[in-house]
Amino acid sequence: EAQVTQNPRYLITVTGKKLTVTCSQNMNHEYMSWYRQDPGLGLRQIYYSMNVEVTDKGDVPEGYKVSRKEKRNFPLILESPSPNQTSLYFCASTPVASTYNEQFFGPGTRLTVL
Amino acid sequence: GENVEQHPSTLSVQEGDSAVIKCTYSDSASNYFPWYKQELGKRPQLIIDIRSNVGEKKDQRIAVTLNKTAKHFSLHITETQPEDSAVYFCAASFSGGYNKLIFGAGTRLAVHP
């Protein structure tokens, strides 16, 4: 089944404890991105990757890191999480880096930072 | 920066009524406008999209209209059903980045039987 997966789905952690949220797609998509969803703010892009080893900042990159060593995986790293990073996170992928492509979202990761 | 404004933030209708959600965008070079539906606890999924060379697009009970001059676009849902209850996000392409979408804040639609 073609899909985007994320792990973990739920995570409660404490300030400063490094964490990684994994994202994987099995559709051979080139373009992947991370969003955070907050009430009243919609979906805001954190980072994106146009292909392997090519990543760039989105609109809210502060406090996050990403890597793209393989086409299928695009992990989101929080080196020192803070309470303002409590949010619902979505990974998304599209076949190519073209404006007109549908974005396929993962199931989401709900992160709480205490 | 570029942004997309979406109204209303909440919308409540009776089953069978129509629902309209409106969005305004700021990037005059935007040329792609998708709408995503997010059911409670689920991921956003594309329901309809429109490109800038088209003024209207329809798919069964849903339609999207685009006014490029005024820089706004709308989602129309006719004969609403309880399963239409969800959060709807509009988005506009951003000319400064590949595949970059700017999303609106979302509209929570409740359809009451």
Side-chain angles (χ1 to χ4, degrees):
Chain A
E1 180 191 353
Q3 59 183 344
V4 180
T5 57
Q6 292 178 229
N7 281 291
R9 296 288 314 281
Y10 303 90
L11 179 59
I12 300 174
T13 189
V14 294
T15 299
K17 187 176 181 182
K18 181 180 179 180
L19 67 92
T20 299
V21 183
T22 64
C23 172
S24 184
Q25 49 91 8
N26 62 1
M27 296 171 281
N28 202 37
H29 285 176
E30 289 184 357
Y31 185 97
M32 298 183 75
S33 59
W34 276 102
Y35 292 89
R36 60 178 290 173
Q37 181 179 356
D38 301 288
L41 296 176
L43 293 153
R44 293 180 293 166
Q45 191 179 58
I46 303 170
Y47 266 96
Y48 66 94
S49 169
M50 292 175 64
N51 215 323
V52 176
E53 302 292 0
V54 181
T55 64
D56 208 346
K57 296 177 181 179
D59 296 315
V60 288
E62 295 76 22
Y64 304 95
K65 285 173 58 177
V66 293
S67 68
R68 187 92 181 273
K69 295 177 182 162
E70 308 164 279
K71 199 170 188 178
R72 62 184 295 131
N73 296 324
F74 189 45
L76 179 70
I77 303 153
L78 284 73
E79 294 270 3
S80 183
S82 62
N84 64 12
Q85 292 178 299
T86 292
S87 187
L88 178 59
Y89 291 87
F90 286 100
C91 178
S93 72
T94 64
V96 293
S98 166
T99 300
Y100 305 116
N101 282 322
E102 174 181 359
Q103 301 219 11
F104 292 87
F105 286 88
T109 295
R110 186 166 293 281
L111 172 66
T112 301
V113 183
L114 302 174
Chain B
E2 305 300 342
N3 75 305
V4 174
E5 292 189 5
Q6 183 171 348
H7 298 281
S9 56
T10 59
L11 181 58
S12 183
V13 301
Q14 290 297 125
E15 183 176 359
D17 287 350
S18 295
V20 180
I21 302 170
K22 299 181 180 180
C23 291
T24 304
Y25 60 97
S26 60
D27 183 357
S28 57
S30 293
N31 58 7
Y32 175 63
F33 308 91
W35 287 86
Y36 284 80
K37 175 184 180 182
Q38 184 181 28
E39 296 177 358
L40 189 63
K42 301 287 182 65
R43 69 193 79 191
Q45 291 188 292
L46 180 72
I47 55 170
I48 194 167
D49 57 14
I50 191 169
R51 300 191 187 188
S52 59
N53 57 349
V54 175
E56 181 174 359
K57 185 176 178 181
K58 225 177 167 181
D59 183 3
Q60 300 182 335
R61 294 186 298 108
I62 60 174
V64 57
T65 58
L66 171 65
N67 183 329
K68 283 218 75 178
T69 303
K71 290 193 284 186
H72 67 69
F73 57 111
S74 300
L75 177 71
H76 304 254
I77 307 174
T78 59
E79 299 172 26
T80 53
Q81 301 168 4
E83 51 264 39
D84 294 329
S85 297
V87 177
Y88 292 82
F89 292 100
C90 63
S93 61
F94 174 54
S95 58
Y98 283 108
N99 224 32
K100 174 79 176 288
L101 292 176
I102 306 294
F103 284 86
T107 295
R108 184 173 298 280
L109 173 65
V111 180
H112 301 286

